[in-house]
Structure formats: structure tokens, C-alpha cells
Amino acid sequence: MIKFQSIFILLLLSVSIGLNAQGGRIKIFGNVRDANDNPLDIVTVHVKSTFNATMTDEKGYYSLSVAPGDSITLVFHCLGFHKAERLIPSAAQDMRLNVQLNHSSFDLGEIVVTAERKGVTLMETIDANRIKILPDPSGGSIESIVVMYAGVSSNNELSSQYSVRGGNFDENIVYVNGLEVYRPLLIRTGEQEGLSFINPNMTQNVQFSAGGFEARYGDKMSSVLDITYKQPQETEGSVTASFLGASAYVGSSAGKFTQVTGIRYKTGRSLLGTLDTNAEYDPNFIDFQTYLTFKPTEKWEINFLGNISSNSYKYIPHDRSTSFGTMDNPRKFMVFFEGNERDQFQTLYGALNLKYRINDKNEIGFQSSAFHSREEESYDISGSYWLNDASSGDPDNSVNFISDAAYHEHARNKLLANVTHIGMVGISGVATNHTVKWGANIQFENIADRISEWESRDSSGYLLPQTGTDVSMIANLFSDNKLASKRFAGYIQDVFKFRTEQGLFTLVGGLRGSYWTYNGEFLFSPRGSLGFVPNANQQLTFRLATGVYYQPPFYKELRVEVSDEQGNSVVTLNDKLKSQRSIHVIAGGEYAFNKMGRNFKFTAETYYKKLDQINPYTIDNVKIRYYGENCAKGYIAGIDMKFFGEFVPDADSWLSFSLMKAEQTIRETTKAPIPNSHLYNLSLYFQDYFPGHKRAMLNLKGVIAGGLPVTAPRKKYEDGYRRTPPYRRIDIGLTYQLTGGSSDLMDRAFFRQFKNIWLGIDIFNLLDIKNTGSYYWITDVYNHQYAVPNYLTGRQLNLRITADF
């Protein structure tokens, strides 16, 4: 039956070509969208009981030529959506007919993943309208959902940064409304990081790709996260408050003008109180964003996105006690501190877009953006520490002493960055089944970096490192560098969709090119993907992608540490450094099915990434230190699997599992793992509700990830490495919908002002597992080193309330 329908539709499409060539006819055209106002492509549109048919293009546009006269019925059909019919009583002249199709499955409640639509490309779409009900130590972020997907991992709940298929944080590109956004460069720890740029309250659509992405996305080697902000149709808003902070946003529409404005405040003071270090933590992170859209005519659209962010982190440590080691060899580490740390990260971002719709198939846009970051890091912290053997049961006894020392850490670091972007983009529907996209831009970068930091230590009265003659610091670093450069980039790609007797094919091919004035490097990046939905079984989808992906240096990658005549470490910039290169080969598919009246989907992808011109790096917490030279080659290979569905009726859940092997060869002699090679990652998102009380919901997030290879401070992989223990964590949230829907409280005047009111309680790190974020390295008088784990956050309770209006 399925094969007969496919052949029938194919005949409709072929016959329509001849019919549309006839004269004396009128045109019926328009756009097809889903319930979220997203354009739908590959929708079959035909005149009922005839062979006259066509398909929508990537913008959801269709056009049919019909004979004037009697009434006709148009039928709109797309896999995963309910069929729609529209009666036209009398077709006398050209007319526009816009249609909305509704999903036929996967109505997933609080987080809706549009998985019922066949994923013929490698972009996965998430509708995160109500992501704020999830248990999230970061206070609510899009990234908290992204890290639950196959191939994505994070080993630090204090950070919104993530690793994709062995790549580092810098290899992920993030777009908001078609333009790249940036984050501060001096961040060392998750405690400093603050808020993600993306405001989930303002977000309409989220698309994510873990590799094999299109040429229209910039030069990064790992992933792309593409965000589109809302254009409200009516007044809406939300207010949220919790122990982690607060947020509010309001959106409105007035004729040709729409706006959505949000403000967020985050303080992780209560969460940081679960760390081993007893300290006065004072993190204050504030973010304000507004997105304005004006449409003076049907063809013109102007939008502006503005962002002001201020991240302040103050830290006064008092003492610390950490127990670690094994049952046979337990250790206890104790420190008494003096001093403080004060960090300030201030960023400004503005983006202005101008779009002109030439006709229903062609569009051109002008883009501009500016990013400014002022970052200051200042600390003077001294401490006296003891390392004792705890095997006797009395670790505080001086008899169990292993090592004692005092140290002093000092830093006065400043960085000023300005990035300006100007570009053009365009879309052209060359034919019904062809969509060409192109773009070109120029980017100006100005960065000034001043570093002054040092660390001294003494053990048993001897300064380290102990030489017997010299007075020396254990480490220091100085920098006074400026960088001014320009980047030119452009791309062109074609999306070609066609049907054969075998099924539906989607072919995406493109070429991206760029040039950077600083190192004089030209890059050409061909990329392509093929998606196939077989007629024999439309529950199956197959995907294949390949391409050449580059990671051009930005600023951190250029820094090289060299020693001056006095033995001080000084940062210079390597203007000979070239882009890292990765060749992707990805093959995968998905199988969607229905069991017991519930929808399920299983996806799997296997990938291989050949790496060369690698600029190796080490990671300490979230700070990446690059070698500053192209001195390695390697590969990353793995498989990602995800099982998604309604394990509980009307509630969505998924289980993701990844296996990976990532190795590099440094300077042709040293084989070492790539720093973000987790080896394995298992993540679970589970949603349930109390039987008979769907207002009461449970959300559970769990993850088990392999440990990461780390080195001692200021050491490289050639000097050896060790792996951190596996990262294990469960966060659970209980949420109750107080008002909304058919609630009895909606009969009261006060509650009628709100669409929903949610009350929630979260338990972060339910099992109170001590996960290792990094190590503090102790050196004794004999230059022996001990790695003391810096544990991440422990169990913490969080209360929250959210009101939508």
C-alpha cells in the first residue's frame, strides 16, 4: 500500500510539469507552516482527484497552476503531520493560500522534540519553550539539554560548556539569529563562568548538529548550535525565582513591531557552599537582552539584538579539608588561606539584520554585529597546607605527616577584545526542489592581552623548586600582546530534494572559503550530506555526510610560552600557526515506530574524524592551554546511539549512549589521548507524572561519563598524564502545575492573570557523589608531586517558582 501511494505521488509530480505549461491558467500559491510557525518543506500539494501536484521548498513555499472555473480542493500531505484539505469555491484569479499542518504524533508536553519529522539532515531540532522546569544547577540553560544528547558530554555541572565527539569547548560554534556569538576568554573555572549567552526564555527554535553540518555554518571542527529568538504574536511573559537566582521576560506585538526582552540574575552562592573549601563566595551574574523586530512592509524586515552582561566573582577562602586516596592508602589534605580573588567580566553585544524578500522564493539580507569584552582577573591568595597519611584513623596526628608547605598565588590579568562583523546572505529557490543559500562577510578583530601572574612555594622552609643555590618561583607568566586582523569568508550551498521509485532523497552540497590576514592562510571547505527515506519503509531514515572542517586560530590558540634571559615565562604570538583540520565521515539512520499506542525512535550514528595540523592543548578545570604550534596528528572514531520515546504514556524520555576512541601523535614520538576523550558516556533523561495527577511531574537527569586525561600544571602530554575518575551524577526535580489548563484556581480573578504557575523542588547530585573537576598539585622538597582532587559540588536542595502570563 505504501509503495502504491509513493508511485501515485510520483506520477502526480511528473504530470504536473506538463499541466503547468498550459496557457490560460491561474496560480494558487502560498506557504505551509507547522503549529510553531516554522516553514515545512517536502509537503506534497495536489488538486484532489487530479494529477496536478507539486512540493513545498525549504521555505515552505508552493505554487500550482490550475484552470479557472469550478471549485477545487487542495490536499496538503507530509509525513508526520495530519493531512489538510482546503476548498476553493471558485478559482477565478491568482490567489495566496497559506496552510498550517499539525503534528500527528509526539506531543511531548514540557519539552517538545520535533522527532516525528524525518531527520534527512544532520540537524536535530528542539523546542525548548519550557526548559525552565528541568533540574539544572546552572539555573536553566539550553546547554543543559544539549549535553544530554548522544555524542555530547560535560564533566562540570558549574559550566555550560560542552564537548562534542572528542572536541574541546572552542570547537563548538553558537549562532543566535544567524550570527555567531562569543564568550569571555579568561575564564578558568566553572565558578567564574556565570550565565550562558542564550536566554532560554527568549528562545523559539533550537537546532543542533554534532558533526557533518552545512557549509553555511562557520569554521569550527565539532558542532553547531543554531538559536532563533521569538517574534511574539501577542503579549506574553514569565517570571522565575529560585535559590540560584531569578529571571523575567516579556514579549509583545503591536502591528508591524514585535519585541521580547529578558533579564537574568544568577548567584551560585548556595551551590558553591557544598565545595570542600570553606569560603565567602560572592558570585553575581547579570544578563540583559532585548530582541526587536520591525516589518515596515511585507517585503522588508529589520531586527536588532542587544545584550549587556556583567559577571562578577568574589572569593575569600578560609580553610579547606579534603580526604582522598584509596582504602589502602588514604590521604587528608588541609589548607588555611589568606587573601582574596576578584574577577570582573563585562561584555556588550549588538546585532542588526536587514532582510528584503524579493519574492516568495528569493531573499537577501544584510548583517552586522559588534562584540566587546572587558575582562579582569585579580587575586592574591596565600596558604599553608598539610598532607597527612589517614590510614591510622587519626589524620590530624603530626606523626602521620607527609608534607607541609606554604604558597602564594598572584595575578593581575586583563584582556580587551573587540570583534566587528559585516556581511550579506541570500536564499534563492532556483526550482521547486532546489534551494541555494549563499553568504559573504568580513570580520575585524582587535585584542589586547596583559598577563602578570606568579606562584611561589616553600616546603619545610625551602623555596620550590629547590636547587640549593637559586631563589626561584615555582611558576610565572607574563604577557603584553596586541592583535589586529581581518577575516574574509564566504559560502554557497544547494539543497536538492527529489523522489524516485526508491524513496525521497535530500542532497546538500556546499563550499566554504575564508582568508585571515594575520597568518595569510586561505581555507576551502567542501561539505556534503545525503538523506534518504525509503518508500518500502518510511519509518526508516538513512543519512551520510562528509566534509573538510577547519578550526582557525582566534587568539588563545596563538599563545606560546617561551623563557626570557632571566628564566621568566613570556607569552608570544605565533603568526605561523595554521588552522587545525578535520575530515568528517558520518553514517547513520533512525527508526521510528509505535508500540502500545506510544511513539518511539531509535537513532544511531557512527563517525570517523581524521585530524591533522593539530594544535595540542591541556585542560585545567575549564581553562584550555594550547601548545601554540601545529605539531600533532590524530583521529577520533566512535558511535552514538539514542533511544527516544514515551516510556510513560504522554511523557517523553530518552537514553543516550556513546563510545569513542580519540588519539593523537605529538611531534611524531608521543602517543596520547585527546584531552576530551571520555571513552564512554551514558546519559538518561526521564519524565513521569503521578498516576491520575498529571499536574505533578518528575524530571530526572543522570549521567555516567568516562574520566578525562589530565596533566600536571605547566606540563604537557609528553611528560605523562593521568585520568580523572568517571563523572557520575543524578539530578531530580519535582514540579507541580498549580494553575493552568482546567485548574479550579483559574476561576479566581487573581490566578486568571496567569497561563501557568509552576512550583518545583530540585535535588542536585542526589547521591552526593564526589566528582573530580581538576587537581591541586602539591610539590614537596624533593620535587615529588601529589594530585589532590578538587571536588565539584555536593548534594544541594533548590526551590523554584515560575509564573507564565
Side-chain angles (χ1 to χ4, degrees):
M1 182 64 183
I2 293 176
K3 186 175 181 180
F4 173 79
Q5 290 176 342
S6 302
I7 295 173
F8 179 72
I9 292 173
L10 184 65
L11 289 173
L12 292 179
L13 295 175
S14 60
V15 174
S16 68
I17 297 175
L19 293 176
N20 290 339
Q22 299 176 11
R25 301 171 71 83
I26 62 171
K27 183 172 73 171
I28 300 175
F29 61 96
N31 292 87
V32 182
R33 296 178 175 270
D34 65 12
N36 295 319
D37 204 37
N38 299 313
L40 295 177
D41 55 357
I42 327 177
V43 177
T44 301
V45 185
H46 75 274
V47 179
K48 193 173 185 178
S49 302
T50 74
F51 294 107
N52 190 3
T54 188
M55 281 195 305
T56 57
D57 62 16
E58 195 169 67
K59 298 183 66 177
Y61 177 80
Y62 74 94
S63 176
L64 271 176
S65 178
V66 301
D70 297 335
S71 64
I72 61 173
T73 299
L74 292 187
V75 180
F76 299 80
H77 178 269
C78 182
L79 185 66
F81 292 81
H82 290 293
K83 182 175 67 174
E85 295 187 3
R86 296 293 184 268
L87 175 65
I88 302 176
S90 178
Q93 59 185 2
D94 291 355
M95 66 175 294
R96 172 181 287 272
L97 178 62
N98 296 329
V99 174
Q100 175 182 299
L101 297 184
N102 296 314
H103 296 296
S104 59
S105 59
F106 276 113
D107 184 7
L108 297 179
E110 304 316 316
I111 293 180
V112 182
V113 180
T114 56
E116 69 285 301
R117 210 134 175 253
K118 287 300 177 184
V120 291
T121 68
L122 277 79
M123 296 295 290
E124 190 159 11
T125 303
I126 306 170
D127 182 358
N129 287 329
R130 301 172 81 175
I131 198 171
K132 50 183 165 286
I133 71 168
L134 296 179
D136 179 17
S138 69
S141 66
I142 297 297
E143 291 87 347
S144 66
I145 285 295
V146 173
V147 298
M148 302 300 293
Y149 277 67
V152 188
S153 59
S154 171
N155 278 38
N156 192 332
E157 66 274 4
L158 294 173
S159 173
S160 61
Q161 301 183 60
Y162 52 88
S163 168
V164 179
R165 291 177 175 171
N168 70 34
F169 314 135
D170 295 334
E171 296 175 16
N172 305 316
I173 192 167
V174 179
Y175 284 88
V176 175
N177 300 325
L179 286 167
E180 184 178 359
V181 297
Y182 303 88
R183 54 184 174 83
L185 299 177
L186 286 183
I187 297 293
R188 291 181 296 109
T189 67
E191 293 94 316
Q192 298 173 309
E193 190 171 304
L195 292 156
S196 161
F197 181 94
I198 305 164
N199 188 327
N201 293 324
M202 299 170 60
T203 299
Q204 177 67 39
N205 294 315
V206 182
Q207 289 190 305
F208 176 76
S209 173
F213 42 90
E214 301 169 6
R216 63 190 174 108
Y217 295 114
D219 289 309
K220 297 285 185 179
M221 291 201 305
S222 289
S223 75
V224 59
L225 181 61
D226 192 358
I227 306 294
T228 303
Y229 276 0
K230 296 177 180 178
Q231 294 185 14
Q233 302 301 310
E234 58 183 7
T235 301
E236 62 179 53
S238 178
V239 178
T240 300
S242 74
F243 288 167
L244 300 177
S247 67
Y249 90 97
V250 62
S252 62
S253 176
K256 299 177 181 180
F257 175 79
T258 68
Q259 69 82 28
V260 58
T261 301
I263 185 169
R264 294 177 292 165
Y265 169 73
K266 175 185 173 182
T267 175
R269 190 177 295 111
S270 62
L271 195 61
L272 297 179
T274 64
L275 298 174
D276 280 352
T277 300
N278 175 32
E280 297 176 38
Y281 295 98
D282 188 18
N284 291 282
F285 311 118
I286 300 175
D287 176 272
F288 173 83
Q289 294 188 36
T290 185
Y291 180 53
L292 313 175
T293 304
F294 178 60
K295 298 179 180 179
T297 68
E298 289 187 359
K299 292 183 176 292
W300 287 96
E301 177 182 319
I302 305 171
N303 62 62
F304 171 78
L305 173 63
N307 169 249
I308 301 174
S309 177
S310 177
N311 297 338
S312 173
Y313 178 71
K314 299 177 183 179
Y315 168 62
I316 304 176
H318 298 305
D319 57 76
R320 167 181 173 173
S321 177
T322 300
S323 297
F324 66 102
T326 65
M327 293 184 63
D328 296 329
N329 193 24
R331 296 285 185 264
K332 185 172 182 178
F333 177 64
M334 295 171 289
V335 191
F336 294 93
F337 299 98
E338 289 184 359
N340 64 81
E341 177 177 351
R342 294 175 179 269
D343 305 324
Q344 190 74 32
F345 306 93
Q346 295 179 331
T347 62
L348 302 174
Y349 179 83
L352 180 66
N353 287 329
L354 177 63
K355 297 180 183 179
Y356 176 65
R357 185 171 58 84
I358 302 171
N359 51 46
D360 289 311
K361 290 190 174 184
N362 297 278
E363 183 180 287
I364 191 171
F366 302 90
Q367 299 178 326
S368 63
S369 69
F371 170 75
H372 169 80
S373 181
R374 184 180 184 87
E375 307 172 29
E376 298 182 3
E377 185 181 44
S378 173
Y379 57 81
D380 273 289
I381 297 177
S382 59
S384 298
Y385 62 76
W386 292 263
L387 178 65
N388 286 357
D389 184 347
S391 59
S392 67
D394 185 11
D396 298 327
N397 193 318
S398 60
V399 176
N400 302 312
F401 164 80
I402 297 177
S403 176
D404 71 335
Y407 73 94
H408 188 105
E409 294 178 341
H410 166 93
R412 296 292 186 271
N413 302 330
K414 293 184 180 181
L415 185 141
L416 185 67
N418 292 285
V419 180
T420 305
H421 173 102
I422 301 172
M424 290 181 61
V425 293
I427 301 176
S428 178
V430 178
T432 301
N433 53 353
H434 280 275
T435 302
V436 176
K437 297 182 179 181
W438 58 269
N441 65 75
I442 181 174
Q443 184 165 292
F444 304 89
E445 299 168 1
N446 289 275
I447 299 173
D449 180 27
R450 297 188 67 179
I451 297 176
S452 176
E453 60 183 49
W454 50 262
E455 179 183 357
S456 66
R457 290 190 192 181
D458 73 78
S459 179
S460 301
Y462 293 93
L463 284 173
L464 300 178
Q466 173 61 27
T467 65
T469 57
D470 299 327
V471 176
S472 59
M473 298 290 178
I474 194 170
N476 61 22
L477 186 65
F478 301 97
S479 171
D480 188 3
N481 290 301
K482 293 183 179 180
L483 173 65
S485 64
K486 295 186 287 292
R487 297 180 195 265
F488 301 86
Y491 70 87
I492 185 169
Q493 71 175 48
D494 182 26
V495 181
F496 177 41
K497 301 179 181 181
F498 59 96
R499 288 186 180 272
T500 69
E501 294 182 358
Q502 287 72 38
L504 172 66
F505 291 85
T506 300
L507 178 63
V508 182
L511 177 66
R512 185 175 188 88
S514 64
Y515 173 73
W516 192 25
T517 60
Y518 184 74
N519 63 0
E521 182 181 32
F522 286 94
L523 299 175
F524 295 97
S525 174
R527 308 175 188 177
S529 67
L530 177 65
F532 173 56
V533 181
N535 284 334
N537 187 348
Q538 296 190 12
Q539 294 175 293
L540 288 170
T541 302
F542 300 97
R543 296 183 291 265
L544 179 66
T546 188
V548 180
Y549 295 81
Y550 289 93
Q551 181 80 20
F554 183 65
Y555 175 73
K556 291 190 301 181
E557 296 92 331
L558 298 171
R559 298 195 296 191
V560 181
E561 297 182 19
V562 298
S563 295
D564 63 11
E565 295 177 354
Q566 290 76 36
N568 297 312
S569 294
V570 179
V571 174
T572 62
L573 302 183
N574 180 7
D575 61 0
K576 305 299 183 183
L577 185 70
K578 300 302 181 182
S579 299
Q580 302 178 79
R581 181 170 59 187
S582 175
I583 300 175
H584 291 197
V585 179
I586 303 171
E590 67 180 47
Y591 174 58
F593 59 97
N594 185 285
K595 291 292 184 183
M596 299 178 291
R598 306 176 197 174
N599 296 296
F600 297 91
K601 185 179 73 169
F602 175 75
T603 63
E605 286 186 355
T606 182
Y607 60 90
Y608 178 83
K609 298 194 285 188
K610 181 180 182 297
L611 311 175
D612 58 8
Q613 299 179 183
I614 294 177
N615 182 2
Y617 61 92
T618 61
I619 297 179
D620 183 13
N621 202 297
V622 298
K623 185 171 185 176
I624 299 175
R625 288 184 179 270
Y626 290 94
Y627 284 33
E629 52 182 317
N630 304 111
C631 60
K633 59 184 178 181
Y635 71 92
I636 304 175
I639 183 170
D640 298 328
M641 293 173 284
K642 179 181 173 184
F643 185 40
F644 175 96
E646 298 177 69
F647 303 134
V648 175
D650 302 320
D652 60 312
S653 303
W654 65 81
L655 177 69
S656 298
F657 180 64
S658 300
L659 291 173
M660 174 180 60
K661 186 174 183 180
E663 289 187 347
Q664 58 185 337
T665 302
I666 303 173
R667 307 186 198 283
E668 302 292 341
T669 58
T670 302
K671 287 192 175 182
I674 290 176
N676 282 103
S677 56
H678 290 270
L679 301 181
Y680 64 90
N681 189 87
L682 176 68
S683 59
L684 169 69
Y685 173 73
F686 181 76
Q687 183 177 333
D688 198 359
Y689 56 85
F690 290 90
H693 300 278
K694 290 189 176 182
R695 293 181 177 275
M697 302 178 60
L698 177 145
N699 293 274
L700 182 146
K701 292 168 53 182
V703 62
I704 301 176
L708 297 176
V710 296
T711 65
R714 296 165 292 278
K715 298 293 184 180
K716 298 181 178 181
Y717 280 96
E718 298 94 312
D719 304 311
Y721 64 91
R722 64 182 296 166
R723 279 192 180 270
T724 62
Y727 182 83
R728 299 161 296 163
R729 186 180 177 90
I730 294 177
D731 298 322
I732 189 170
L734 300 174
T735 305
Y736 182 75
Q737 187 182 15
L738 183 64
T739 67
S742 58
S743 170
D744 294 337
L745 292 176
M746 298 301 289
D747 296 332
R748 301 181 183 181
F750 173 78
F751 291 105
R752 283 200 298 269
Q753 303 175 66
F754 301 96
K755 294 179 181 178
N756 299 286
I757 297 180
W758 298 89
L759 303 177
I761 179 171
D762 303 321
I763 304 176
F764 302 134
N765 197 357
L766 178 66
L767 303 181
D768 200 24
I769 297 172
K770 290 184 176 294
N771 289 303
T772 301
S774 60
Y775 289 98
Y776 185 83
W777 294 81
I778 299 172
T779 305
D780 63 17
V781 69
Y782 303 107
N783 286 333
H784 295 156
Q785 287 192 319
Y786 302 87
V788 180
N790 294 318
Y791 292 125
L792 295 170
T793 58
R795 184 188 295 120
Q796 177 68 24
L797 187 69
N798 180 52
L799 299 178
R800 52 186 164 81
I801 180 171
T802 300
D804 300 325
F805 57 88

